[in-house]
Amino acid sequence: MTMNPLYFTAGPAATYPTVGKHLAQALQDQIPSISHRSNQFRSIYQDTFEGLKELFDLPAGFGVFFLGSATEIWERLLQNCVEEAGFHLVNGAFSKKFYDFAHLLHKKAFKQEVPFGQGFLPENINVHYKAEIIAFTQNETSSGVATPVETIHQIKEQNPGRLVVVDAVSSAPYPIFDFTKIDSMFFSVQKAFGLPAGLGVWIANEKCLAKSELLESKGMLTGAYTKLTSLWKFFEKFETPATPNVLGIYLLNKVVKDMLAVGKDEIRQDTDLKAIMLYDYLRESELFDVFVENPAHQSNTVIVANTRKPAKPIIDALAKKGFIIGSGYEKSREQIRIANFPATSVEQMESLIEAMQDLEEQGTGNRGQGTFII
Amino acid sequence: MTMNPLYFTAGPAATYPTVGKHLAQALQDQIPSISHRSNQFRSIYQDTFEGLKELFDLPAGFGVFFLGSATEIWERLLQNCVEEAGFHLVNGAFSKKFYDFAHLLHKKAFKQEVPFGQGFLPENINVHYKAEIIAFTQNETSSGVATPVETIHQIKEQNPGRLVVVDAVSSAPYPIFDFTKIDSMFFSVQKAFGLPAGLGVWIANEKCLAKSELLESKGMLTGAYTKLTSLWKFFEKFETPATPNVLGIYLLNKVVKDMLAVGKDEIRQDTDLKAIMLYDYLRESELFDVFVENPAHQSNTVIVANTRKPAKPIIDALAKKGFIIGSGYEKSREQIRIANFPATSVEQMESLIEAMQDLEEQGTGNRGQGTFII
């Protein structure tokens, strides 16, 4: 086992390489002690907003809000953007949880569901006529199924009067969304941004705000400090209603700037390259099979494979070699999950694939070392 | 201006001296990358629970839950512990906000209010007959008024059937609560624990859980993942319903252990000593007056003084000398606020007092340096 294992887990995940440096600087500059009502904080918020605006090509009319997690954002979004009913595209554990949240919050919710491992084709999506929002989980962390952004954009074109909201927790900033065809997108920072957990980022446009205002005017419960009208009012002066995770926002700002310095196209190309390498290996492997059958739905950021032998000894053996990968989300399946986030380099992905190849050869007896039984 | 100013602000506040060391260790051990469903995380949660249990002398039957902030806990507590109406003791901005939250969450709330700078005497507290909870803000961060723990305990003795809930945001772990006479207490870590913001700690007993179960059984909205029944179910296996601020919990655990190593009595005695030094100086000063008149209500952790000259130049001059203190919460008042948390040493408090004395002498012309005009 190496001293510093490499994390290929889908969240919490490997930290972005510059995080240690920024954390040291933050401590030196006493960022944890600054007031969230100071110019110093407002400038960090504004900087982060500008950075995210550039990274995501956000048009005017979008606000960026900081909450505790993407899970919290599910709740805040449903409270603020759904009066009666939403429509959820469910194809795994997390899209299902988002849908369940609606019921827990006493909203109506309709779903269209496909089996685990499958995605949605735009021609098959039948939006419920009562739906005020259409909720996509763009990247299903549980199954490794991604919804092509074109599908999301097309559904918005067909439903201009409905809010299209996108959970991009385990993919942002990889997918190139057209924010003129999306009303809200959100993520948490411990996935593809490679930051410590404890911060959710909610991006929403003025249509979401208008909906929230409408609900509030009808006397509906949209939240206390976290109602969108309150978040937005404070956002306009780059403040938050309550003390936020200031250090988390500071680190997000730094990593977004680092990503922009590398280049957003470069980061996406790197992700593509690493995904191709891994999928190519999995397809050729005798130990693994790519789980998601439709190539158009294979996620490039969370890659899931079936194992032809029990998954746990494989995962354990890789851990002993210093590679931490994820188990399958559904315990009944023999699967592995491998995150492919910007924090991981091409070289690191190569070394993981080599380790998997070694394991395969050992396991099939080609090397006859006999120390590893799978 | 010194390179590293000393923060005496009431939150975010100065970091506990060991935070840098623990953060470096956390990075080395890749704590931000560990799964919140791993044994490693469960052991951090359990350790933190055991540490807080010792620090607060928690009896059996209490759970400890991690949320994003104390502000979020106001919401979660009201949703889970109030069916119809609560009773709030209001004596400043934060106790007022807690009360306001009830209305924002569509609950009834009654309040007993005293003027800014005053506290509550037990014989004057008239709990509303409809109140299911009695909400104390034990330390009013806005005014520097503390409610003696005996008052809280006495009110619980008189109201055994009501839940007594205590906001100890800017005082815990200083007050010695008797948790057989308190049903819930909560705080955020960026105050007296000297940690980065982004984590709220909610301590609640089985009576709170039972209340939450009752509300749920009646079909009331108690939350999605943050409903107490869900938090408690996960707490029993030392997990959280969603990915929490793992790094924040790790740091809290370390700082709680550091505090226990120093000794909880020692930390409280240190706080007393620093408070006496500061109050003594303020009482003798010709520039400042202690704001809270009743000595029994003078907070030892957030100390507020009126200034006899405009407050802003005083605060600015101290900042130039390397001491960051807080302004008054109510902008119409000429006040300063000084936090007295465990992160600050006796020597640092001495140096602040010396800087204030210097300023006073300069300002009154005793030293005739003429560079500082207040």
Side-chain angles (χ1 to χ4, degrees):
Chain A
M1 186 173 169
T2 59
M3 279 300 291
N4 283 308
L6 291 175
Y7 279 85
F8 288 85
T9 45
T15 51
Y16 200 74
T18 55
V19 166
K21 182 184 79 178
H22 296 313
L23 212 37
Q25 188 66 48
L27 273 187
Q28 199 180 312
D29 294 345
Q30 301 190 76
I31 298 299
S33 302
I34 69 168
S35 167
H36 59 295
R37 301 283 175 239
S38 66
N39 285 331
Q40 198 179 351
F41 174 73
R42 280 187 285 268
S43 130
I44 291 171
Y45 192 153
Q46 182 167 5
D47 240 40
T48 314
F49 169 67
E50 301 290 352
L52 291 171
K53 207 172 155 182
E54 192 178 338
L55 188 64
F56 291 118
D57 265 324
L58 290 183
F62 275 84
V64 173
F65 316 101
F66 300 112
L67 292 153
S69 64
T71 312
E72 185 183 359
I73 297 170
W74 283 344
E75 177 181 0
R76 306 316 185 182
L77 193 152
L78 291 164
Q79 282 180 316
N80 281 277
C81 298
V82 178
E83 182 176 350
E84 286 186 20
F87 175 70
H88 293 250
L89 292 146
V90 174
N91 64 333
F94 292 95
S95 45
K96 176 67 164 47
K97 282 176 207 279
F98 190 6
Y99 163 77
D100 289 338
F101 259 51
H103 297 292
L104 288 166
L105 297 166
H106 297 191
K107 307 280 182 184
K108 278 202 194 98
F110 304 98
K111 68 174 153 81
Q112 183 170 340
E113 196 165 5
V114 294
F116 193 74
Q118 292 186 24
F120 294 96
L121 299 172
E123 58 271 27
N124 297 339
I125 294 176
N126 299 304
V127 176
H128 194 282
Y129 75 102
K130 280 195 172 174
E132 300 153 51
I133 65 165
I134 303 170
F136 284 96
T137 299
Q138 191 271 327
N139 200 69
E140 233 319 330
T141 318
S142 63
S143 67
V145 171
T147 301
V149 292
E150 296 74 19
T151 301
I152 299 173
H153 300 154
Q154 192 175 325
I155 294 299
K156 175 69 189 181
E157 281 165 13
Q158 295 165 4
N159 295 273
R162 297 186 165 98
L163 298 173
V164 167
V165 305
V166 182
D167 177 332
V169 160
S170 55
S171 57
Y174 174 73
I176 306 178
F177 294 114
D178 175 351
F179 275 87
T180 66
K181 289 169 187 164
I182 278 178
D183 298 288
S184 179
M185 188 274 275
F186 55 90
F187 60 90
S188 51
V189 300
Q190 75 273 18
K191 314 270 180 182
F193 284 88
L195 290 164
L199 183 67
V201 180
W202 184 15
I203 300 176
N205 69 10
E206 286 166 346
K207 286 183 192 165
C208 296
L209 176 64
K211 183 72 184 238
S212 173
E213 284 166 345
L214 175 73
L215 267 52
E216 218 178 310
S217 75
K218 291 186 174 188
M220 290 185 66
L221 197 158
T222 55
Y225 269 26
T226 54
K227 58 186 182 181
L228 190 52
T229 54
S230 169
L231 290 169
W232 201 293
K233 193 186 79 185
F234 279 88
F235 160 69
E236 285 179 338
K237 48 183 177 177
F238 295 115
E239 287 187 22
T240 52
T243 315
N245 183 340
V246 177
L247 182 60
I249 299 167
Y250 171 94
L251 292 174
L252 174 63
N253 181 37
K254 294 293 182 187
V255 165
V256 166
K257 294 294 154 63
D258 291 339
M259 287 181 168
L260 289 170
V262 172
K264 46 190 177 180
D265 290 344
E266 283 71 11
I267 282 183
R268 284 161 184 154
Q269 284 159 14
D270 237 42
T271 303
D272 288 337
L273 174 61
K274 290 180 291 166
I276 288 168
M277 287 162 50
L278 185 55
Y279 275 119
D280 278 353
Y281 162 66
L282 293 171
R283 264 188 290 268
E284 290 160 16
S285 160
E286 294 185 2
L287 186 53
F288 304 104
D289 291 300
V290 172
F291 172 53
V292 178
E293 286 176 13
N294 183 343
H297 288 155
Q298 287 164 357
S299 168
N300 277 356
T301 55
V302 177
I303 294 159
V304 177
N306 293 325
T307 58
R308 298 194 188 173
K309 296 186 177 176
K312 192 173 180 307
I314 298 173
I315 293 165
D316 291 348
L318 284 170
K320 275 194 187 149
K321 290 169 177 278
F323 300 91
I324 314 292
I325 66 167
S327 54
Y329 193 87
E330 294 196 341
K331 297 305 164 208
S332 60
R333 292 172 190 268
E334 297 299 336
Q335 293 191 325
I336 56 167
R337 283 185 298 161
I338 296 170
N340 176 28
F341 294 150
T344 302
S345 68
V346 174
E347 291 69 30
Q348 288 171 337
M349 186 60 85
E350 269 170 359
S351 66
L352 170 66
I353 293 170
E354 276 167 29
M356 291 167 82
Q357 278 166 333
D358 281 356
L359 212 64
E360 190 171 342
E361 289 172 23
Q362 279 175 272
T364 55
N366 287 356
R367 286 193 180 172
Q369 291 169 345
T371 52
F372 170 65
I373 297 160
I374 51 176
Chain B
M1 184 170 168
T2 59
M3 280 300 293
N4 283 308
L6 291 176
Y7 279 85
F8 288 85
T9 46
T15 51
Y16 200 73
T18 55
V19 167
K21 183 185 77 177
H22 296 312
L23 211 38
Q25 188 65 48
L27 273 187
Q28 199 180 311
D29 294 344
Q30 300 190 78
I31 298 300
S33 301
I34 69 168
S35 166
H36 60 294
R37 301 280 175 243
S38 66
N39 284 332
Q40 199 178 352
F41 174 73
R42 280 186 284 268
S43 128
I44 292 170
Y45 192 154
Q46 181 167 4
D47 240 39
T48 314
F49 169 67
E50 301 291 351
L52 290 171
K53 207 172 155 183
E54 191 178 338
L55 189 63
F56 290 120
D57 265 323
L58 290 184
F62 275 84
V64 173
F65 316 102
F66 300 112
L67 292 153
S69 64
T71 312
E72 185 184 358
I73 297 171
W74 284 344
E75 178 181 358
R76 305 316 184 183
L77 193 153
L78 291 164
Q79 281 180 317
N80 282 277
C81 299
V82 178
E83 182 175 351
E84 286 186 19
F87 175 71
H88 293 251
L89 292 147
V90 174
N91 63 333
F94 293 96
S95 45
K96 177 67 164 48
K97 282 175 207 277
F98 191 7
Y99 163 77
D100 289 340
F101 259 51
H103 297 292
L104 288 166
L105 297 166
H106 296 190
K107 307 280 181 183
K108 278 202 195 96
F110 303 96
K111 68 174 153 78
Q112 183 171 341
E113 196 164 6
V114 293
F116 193 74
Q118 292 185 24
F120 293 97
L121 299 172
E123 59 271 27
N124 296 339
I125 294 176
N126 298 304
V127 176
H128 194 281
Y129 75 101
K130 281 196 171 174
E132 299 153 52
I133 65 165
I134 303 170
F136 283 96
T137 299
Q138 190 272 328
N139 200 68
E140 234 317 332
T141 317
S142 64
S143 67
V145 171
T147 300
V149 291
E150 296 74 19
T151 301
I152 299 172
H153 300 155
Q154 192 175 326
I155 294 299
K156 176 69 190 182
E157 282 165 11
Q158 295 165 5
N159 295 273
R162 297 186 166 98
L163 297 172
V164 166
V165 305
V166 183
D167 177 333
V169 161
S170 55
S171 57
Y174 175 73
I176 306 178
F177 294 115
D178 175 352
F179 275 87
T180 66
K181 290 169 186 163
I182 278 178
D183 298 289
S184 179
M185 189 275 274
F186 55 91
F187 60 91
S188 50
V189 300
Q190 75 273 17
K191 313 271 179 183
F193 285 87
L195 290 163
L199 183 67
V201 179
W202 183 15
I203 299 175
N205 69 10
E206 286 166 347
K207 287 183 192 166
C208 295
L209 176 64
K211 182 73 183 234
S212 173
E213 284 166 346
L214 176 73
L215 267 54
E216 220 179 310
S217 75
K218 291 186 175 188
M220 291 184 66
L221 197 157
T222 54
Y225 269 27
T226 54
K227 58 186 181 181
L228 190 52
T229 54
S230 169
L231 290 169
W232 201 293
K233 193 185 78 185
F234 280 88
F235 159 69
E236 284 178 338
K237 49 183 176 176
F238 295 115
E239 287 189 21
T240 52
T243 315
N245 184 340
V246 178
L247 182 59
I249 299 169
Y250 171 94
L251 292 174
L252 174 63
N253 180 37
K254 294 293 184 189
V255 164
V256 166
K257 294 294 154 64
D258 291 339
M259 286 181 168
L260 289 170
V262 172
K264 45 191 178 181
D265 290 345
E266 284 70 11
I267 284 183
R268 284 161 183 153
Q269 284 159 13
D270 237 41
T271 303
D272 287 338
L273 174 62
K274 290 181 291 167
I276 288 168
M277 286 162 51
L278 185 55
Y279 275 120
D280 277 354
Y281 162 66
L282 293 172
R283 265 188 289 268
E284 288 160 17
S285 159
E286 292 186 2
L287 187 52
F288 303 104
D289 291 300
V290 172
F291 172 53
V292 178
E293 286 176 13
N294 183 343
H297 288 153
Q298 287 164 356
S299 167
N300 277 356
T301 54
V302 178
I303 294 160
V304 177
N306 293 325
T307 57
R308 298 194 188 173
K309 296 185 176 177
K312 193 173 180 309
I314 297 172
I315 293 165
D316 291 348
L318 284 170
K320 276 193 187 148
K321 288 170 179 276
F323 300 92
I324 314 293
I325 65 166
S327 54
Y329 193 86
E330 295 197 340
K331 295 305 165 209
S332 59
R333 293 172 190 268
E334 297 299 337
Q335 292 190 328
I336 57 167
R337 282 185 299 161
I338 295 171
N340 176 27
F341 294 151
T344 302
S345 67
V346 174
E347 292 69 29
Q348 288 171 336
M349 186 59 85
E350 269 170 358
S351 67
L352 170 66
I353 293 171
E354 274 168 28
M356 292 167 82
Q357 277 166 335
D358 281 357
L359 212 65
E360 190 171 344
E361 287 171 23
Q362 279 174 271
T364 52
N366 287 356
R367 286 190 179 174
Q369 291 167 345
T371 53
F372 170 65
I373 297 158
I374 51 176

